[in-house]
Amino acid sequence: MDPRTPCLVGAAQLTVRDQPGPEPLILWETVARQALSEARLPATRLDSVQIVYTDSWQYDDPVGRLAERLDAAPRHRAYSRVGGTAPQQLIGAAAGRIAAGEMEAALVVGAEALATRRACRRAGERVAWSHPADPKPPYGWERDPDPAALAHELFLPVHTYAIMETALRLGIAKERTSRGELFAPFTEVAAVNPHAWHRTAHAPEELVTPGPGNRFVGWPYTKKTVAVMEVDQAAALVLVASGLADRLGIPLDQRIYLRGWAYAEDTWEVAARPSLGASAALGAAAAAAFERAGLGLDDMAAMDIYSCFAVAVRMACAELGLDPLDRRGLTVTGGLPYAGGPASAYVLHSTATMAGLLRDGGHGLVTGVGMHLTKHTYAVWSSEPGGTLGDGVPVHTAEPVPIVSSCAGQATVAGYTIAHERDGSPSKGLLVVDLPEGGRAHAWVLREELMADAMERELVGERVVLTSDGKVNIAVW
């Protein structure tokens, strides 16, 4: 074997349930030390320290502060942007540098302490963690949201993903039933995962029936079927060159190999997607990852399909030709709604869990999704070296449909959701519509009887009439 072949040799996860918990810097350090210990690697040997963007707190120098606490002096340092594909992109970049002989050892770490922030907020307190950035940097978007989407308050994933869900046109009753059937097995996996945030198995009907503790958060989604971000969780991975692993005395059965991975992009705005209910980019990423790995879906012993919302899982299954109830299961952790969805860092947890499973032998698939089903990563991991690593160059980029900011007249509903308040009451409808002359637009539904109608029958494909004040479009029918 080429001594430059990268392998994953250390992994650690941490879930803190006692509130308040430690700040992200302490969480980073804790899991980093655990992963380094498992890898038998002194922190002083690290060539690279990379951190997934944290929503919890903006440090003045996040990588530098962690390196200081670890007594490490990495020559390569990286702090990602926002998005659920960030962990795999950092992992892939580190593996590529190791394979090229540019480095021998890399640490990739991520943590969130959003549960602690929520607990402090409810107690009327503000967190005062160490080394705050001053001035506070802009949020870590790669691109700012479209002005028309912002004007219509369409930027929360719980609304954008719900719009794509309705665009699948499963029908209200079928969508509800199948979402419960899809996610109930996830809860069973989470129930036996010691790192899961929610460790309770649920029957399908419990997950999709609205009521106390399970309100609509963005119709048709209920709280128990969407990613839970307010968690205190951390994970770390250590990758090294095989030659270094030999010198460290790491057993062969502790080495997991990245056989192949790929990255692809859909459009950045939901309204601009060529199809609201499909993803050519997702399919391209999957196909490229399997081709690079020299393996196929049938070869996978285990899978973790990114599960922030049901539509992400459904689109993945459609593109892969995968049965949503496949006997192998679609998650190794319990997924983002139950194991926990620590903002941009979930894929570190799914990869760490997969690595543990593959030490018994076999191949596994780990996927990531970023932004509004915009970014996609597919990674094939294995107990056996081989394949072609791949890189982060997009294997597909979608051509956007034009977005019209202000319009009046007739339009056809392409996808929609009903936003709800915390008390469970509907606040407004959010529509993406197809325009007769081409292009798409956003619109609000403000009349109560129309919101109620939209939740009782499928609105996709219906004709609506738009009026506009120049900033916001209003739909009626």
Side-chain angles (χ1 to χ4, degrees):
M1 183 191 302
D2 188 329
R4 298 175 299 177
T5 300
C7 52
L8 193 163
V9 294
Q13 298 182 71
L14 176 65
T15 296
V16 179
R17 295 183 177 84
D18 295 333
Q19 300 299 318
E23 66 174 283
L25 178 58
I26 305 302
L27 293 172
W28 289 335
E29 179 187 6
T30 302
V31 291
R33 290 190 183 280
Q34 291 173 354
L36 288 166
S37 176
E38 183 177 73
R40 308 181 186 187
L41 183 75
T44 54
R45 294 291 302 273
L46 284 170
D47 299 307
S48 174
V49 172
Q50 306 186 51
I51 299 177
V52 176
Y53 186 95
T54 177
D55 275 33
S56 303
W57 188 251
Q58 296 308 304
Y59 291 96
D60 55 359
D61 180 12
V63 179
R65 295 299 180 183
L66 175 59
E68 181 181 43
R69 294 185 72 93
L70 294 174
D71 195 25
R75 64 178 184 271
H76 175 262
R77 305 175 180 212
Y79 186 67
S80 82
R81 305 300 290 270
V82 172
T85 59
Q88 180 56 47
Q89 289 171 288
L90 293 180
I91 293 166
R97 289 187 175 94
I98 292 171
E102 298 171 8
M103 64 173 66
E104 282 194 309
L107 169 72
V108 184
V109 63
E112 291 293 350
L114 292 169
T116 287
R117 291 204 62 149
R118 179 180 62 179
C120 291
R121 185 170 62 250
R122 288 180 172 178
E125 302 170 357
R126 296 186 66 180
V127 296
W129 290 331
S130 65
H131 311 298
D134 185 19
K136 187 176 180 179
Y139 191 62
W141 301 116
E142 290 182 48
R143 302 186 191 184
D144 290 330
D146 181 82
L150 283 177
H152 289 84
E153 300 176 7
L154 184 58
F155 52 85
L156 293 177
V158 75
H159 296 144
T160 57
Y161 280 78
I163 285 174
M164 289 183 279
E165 188 74 71
T166 60
L168 293 178
R169 304 202 71 170
L170 297 179
I172 291 173
K174 182 179 178 181
E175 187 285 321
R176 181 181 184 275
T177 299
S178 65
R179 179 162 31 98
E181 293 172 344
L182 175 69
F183 278 140
F186 282 61
T187 71
E188 294 171 3
V189 175
V192 296
N193 175 4
H195 301 294
W197 191 251
H198 293 307
R199 300 187 63 200
T200 302
H202 291 280
E205 193 64 21
E206 292 179 84
L207 299 175
V208 296
T209 301
N214 197 34
R215 62 184 175 86
F216 283 125
V217 290
W219 183 92
Y221 291 145
T222 46
K223 189 175 180 180
K224 289 182 179 178
T225 57
V226 302
V228 53
M229 280 185 57
E230 290 180 318
V231 297
D232 285 3
Q233 292 182 318
L237 305 174
V238 174
L239 292 93
V240 302
S242 292
L244 177 56
D246 291 340
R247 298 195 300 274
L248 293 170
I250 298 173
L252 292 176
D253 61 5
Q254 192 179 317
R255 307 181 194 186
I256 304 302
Y257 302 91
L258 182 58
R259 286 278 295 246
W261 78 286
Y263 170 74
E265 291 182 358
D266 278 304
T267 62
W268 289 79
E269 297 297 332
V270 169
R273 297 175 73 92
S275 170
L276 264 63
S279 171
L282 189 160
F290 282 132
E291 181 180 6
R292 290 168 178 176
L295 299 166
L297 183 64
D298 291 343
D299 297 313
M300 299 299 103
M303 297 174 284
D304 197 272
I305 306 299
Y306 201 86
S307 55
C308 50
F309 300 94
V311 67
V313 182
R314 286 171 167 149
M315 282 194 190
C317 289
E319 292 292 339
L320 289 167
L322 176 64
D323 183 347
L325 300 179
D326 188 280
R327 60 175 179 77
R328 293 168 290 184
L330 303 187
T331 181
V332 295
T333 66
L336 287 88
Y338 315 107
S344 299
Y346 170 79
V347 167
L348 288 179
H349 294 263
S350 54
T351 302
T353 304
M354 183 66 76
L357 292 174
L358 295 182
R359 285 175 181 166
D360 292 330
H363 318 294
L365 173 68
V366 175
T367 80
V369 169
M371 309 310 291
H372 307 288
L373 260 177
T374 300
K375 303 187 289 184
H376 307 274
T377 54
Y378 273 66
V380 177
W381 292 89
S382 178
S383 59
E384 304 170 10
T388 302
L389 190 58
D391 55 36
V393 177
V395 296
H396 177 95
T397 55
E399 186 67 29
V401 173
I403 297 176
V404 179
S405 58
S406 177
C407 53
Q410 289 196 338
T412 303
V413 177
Y416 70 104
T417 184
I418 307 298
H420 279 66
E421 302 289 356
R422 286 192 169 272
D423 64 4
S425 61
S427 58
K428 66 171 65 73
L430 301 168
L431 274 59
V432 170
V433 297
D434 291 317
L435 302 175
E437 63 274 19
R440 292 215 182 93
H442 305 90
W444 281 354
V445 178
L446 300 178
R447 286 166 49 179
E448 291 184 7
E449 71 275 16
L450 295 182
M451 286 188 275
D453 182 48
M455 290 188 288
E456 292 173 359
R457 66 182 183 89
E458 184 184 16
L459 196 62
V460 174
E462 291 289 314
R463 291 286 186 91
V464 297
V465 177
L466 305 180
T467 56
S468 178
D469 62 6
K471 295 181 179 179
V472 173
N473 305 314
I474 307 296
V476 296
W477 59 90

